[in-house]
Amino acid sequence: MPRRIWDISQVLRPDLPVWPGDTAFAQVGTWQMEQGSPVNVSALTMSTHSGAHADAPLHYAADAPDIASVALEPYLGPCLVVDARNCGALVEPGHLPDLAGARRVLFRTYDRFPHEAWDAQHTAIAPATIRALADAGVILIGMDGPSLDPQDSKAMEAHLEVLAADMRVLEGLVLNDVPPGQYELIALPLAIERGDASPVRAILRELPDA
Ligand SMILES: Nc1ccccc1C(=O)C[C@H](N)C(=O)O
Ligand SMILES: [Zn+2]
Ligand SMILES: [Zn+2]
């Protein structure tokens, strides 16, 4: 019996909601078969933070590693999905379940992911929660919201806690159809030189039978 896969990625498309003022996703044909080319080739324009993506430490620290330099281990392996839909503005330490030794934790904050419109009021992760996860040995934090910090944050406190613990980040995941529990995460970033982030094709897969 094949292990079930949940695709937790957003579809990258021209009307993809992006951070206010950020680069819209665009795709332009450069060679087209309908114009006699033997192949179709296109060019993409997009924010590094489009859709489901992995932040590089470079995003929140000017001299920190780019996305091409980070080790890949955090982005694949056992993972805990947590239902954090009723936490209000911030996921606080008191909202954490027993992590059961999880090294990768994904937070679901939406009943239904807002595919059609940017959510400026998205739930964020309290800095104290990041610290509690780091103290528990977590190496990767993911969420369905577009940022660990509130949209109007200037201090970027959650990201700076991630930096202090050298944790890795996934944002913009789609967790609508994923029950809380244990999975295998696969969400590898592209090796983009000087990249402050990279889109990922993120999936969860049923764990193999014990
Ligand atoms: N596109 C941006 C432009 C400016 C500031 C933030 C963003 C974000 O998308 C938030 C980002 N994903 C983050 O890691 O917090
Ligand atoms: Zn980001
Ligand atoms: Zn971020």
Side-chain angles (χ1 to χ4, degrees), residues 48-49 53-55 59 146-147 159 169 171 196-197:
T48 46
H49 296 255
H53 68 276
D55 286 355
H59 176 54
S147 181
H159 284 83
V169 176
E171 292 162 334
D196 53 85

Short mmCIF file of all heavy atoms in Angstrom, two decimals, residues 48-49 53-55 59 146-147 159 169 171 196-197, ligand 2:
data_model
loop_
_atom_site.label_atom_id
_atom_site.label_comp_id
_atom_site.label_asym_id
_atom_site.label_seq_id
_atom_site.Cartn_x
_atom_site.Cartn_y
_atom_site.Cartn_z
N THR A 48 11.22 35.80 -3.82
CA THR A 48 11.78 34.59 -3.21
C THR A 48 10.85 34.04 -2.14
O THR A 48 10.97 32.88 -1.75
CB THR A 48 13.15 34.92 -2.57
OG1 THR A 48 13.01 36.14 -1.82
CG2 THR A 48 14.21 35.10 -3.65
N HIS A 49 9.92 34.88 -1.66
CA HIS A 49 8.99 34.48 -0.61
C HIS A 49 7.61 34.15 -1.17
O HIS A 49 6.60 34.26 -0.47
CB HIS A 49 8.90 35.56 0.48
CG HIS A 49 10.18 35.76 1.22
ND1 HIS A 49 10.43 35.32 2.48
CD2 HIS A 49 11.33 36.37 0.81
CE1 HIS A 49 11.65 35.63 2.84
NE2 HIS A 49 12.23 36.27 1.84
N HIS A 53 7.47 28.48 1.00
CA HIS A 53 8.89 28.82 0.80
C HIS A 53 9.68 28.61 2.08
O HIS A 53 9.13 28.54 3.19
CB HIS A 53 9.04 30.25 0.31
CG HIS A 53 8.67 31.28 1.32
ND1 HIS A 53 7.37 31.70 1.53
CD2 HIS A 53 9.43 31.98 2.20
CE1 HIS A 53 7.36 32.60 2.50
NE2 HIS A 53 8.59 32.78 2.92
N ALA A 54 10.97 28.55 1.91
CA ALA A 54 11.91 28.43 3.03
C ALA A 54 12.69 29.73 3.14
O ALA A 54 13.31 30.16 2.16
CB ALA A 54 12.86 27.26 2.81
N ASP A 55 12.66 30.35 4.31
CA ASP A 55 13.51 31.53 4.54
C ASP A 55 14.95 31.07 4.71
O ASP A 55 15.21 30.03 5.34
CB ASP A 55 13.15 32.21 5.87
CG ASP A 55 11.85 32.98 5.84
OD1 ASP A 55 11.23 33.08 4.78
OD2 ASP A 55 11.46 33.47 6.92
N HIS A 59 17.72 36.16 5.16
CA HIS A 59 16.53 37.01 5.14
C HIS A 59 16.47 37.92 6.36
O HIS A 59 16.01 39.06 6.29
CB HIS A 59 15.27 36.13 5.08
CG HIS A 59 13.97 36.86 5.15
ND1 HIS A 59 13.64 37.89 4.30
CD2 HIS A 59 12.90 36.71 5.97
CE1 HIS A 59 12.43 38.34 4.60
NE2 HIS A 59 11.97 37.64 5.61
N PRO A 146 1.95 33.65 6.27
CA PRO A 146 3.02 34.14 5.40
C PRO A 146 4.28 34.58 6.12
O PRO A 146 5.30 34.83 5.49
CB PRO A 146 2.39 35.36 4.70
CG PRO A 146 1.37 35.85 5.67
CD PRO A 146 0.83 34.62 6.37
N SER A 147 4.21 34.66 7.47
CA SER A 147 5.39 35.09 8.23
C SER A 147 5.27 34.64 9.69
O SER A 147 4.18 34.65 10.25
CB SER A 147 5.51 36.62 8.21
OG SER A 147 6.67 37.02 8.95
N HIS A 159 11.63 35.93 14.08
CA HIS A 159 12.74 35.55 13.19
C HIS A 159 14.07 35.64 13.93
O HIS A 159 14.97 34.81 13.69
CB HIS A 159 12.76 36.44 11.95
CG HIS A 159 11.70 36.10 10.93
ND1 HIS A 159 10.41 36.56 11.02
CD2 HIS A 159 11.75 35.33 9.81
CE1 HIS A 159 9.72 36.09 10.00
NE2 HIS A 159 10.50 35.36 9.25
N VAL A 169 13.02 27.63 8.70
CA VAL A 169 11.67 28.18 8.61
C VAL A 169 11.01 27.79 7.29
O VAL A 169 11.64 27.87 6.23
CB VAL A 169 11.72 29.73 8.67
CG1 VAL A 169 10.33 30.33 8.49
CG2 VAL A 169 12.33 30.20 9.99
N GLU A 171 7.25 28.86 5.42
CA GLU A 171 6.05 29.71 5.52
C GLU A 171 5.19 29.51 4.28
O GLU A 171 5.67 29.02 3.24
CB GLU A 171 6.47 31.19 5.62
CG GLU A 171 7.17 31.51 6.93
CD GLU A 171 7.96 32.81 6.90
OE1 GLU A 171 8.40 33.23 5.82
OE2 GLU A 171 8.17 33.40 7.98
N ASP A 196 17.70 34.86 -0.30
CA ASP A 196 17.22 35.13 1.06
C ASP A 196 16.07 34.18 1.44
O ASP A 196 15.62 34.12 2.57
CB ASP A 196 16.74 36.58 1.20
CG ASP A 196 15.72 36.92 0.14
OD1 ASP A 196 14.53 36.64 0.34
OD2 ASP A 196 16.14 37.41 -0.92
N ALA A 197 15.61 33.43 0.42
CA ALA A 197 14.55 32.44 0.59
C ALA A 197 14.46 31.66 -0.72
O ALA A 197 15.10 32.02 -1.71
CB ALA A 197 13.21 33.12 0.90
ZN ZN B 2 9.49 34.25 4.18
#
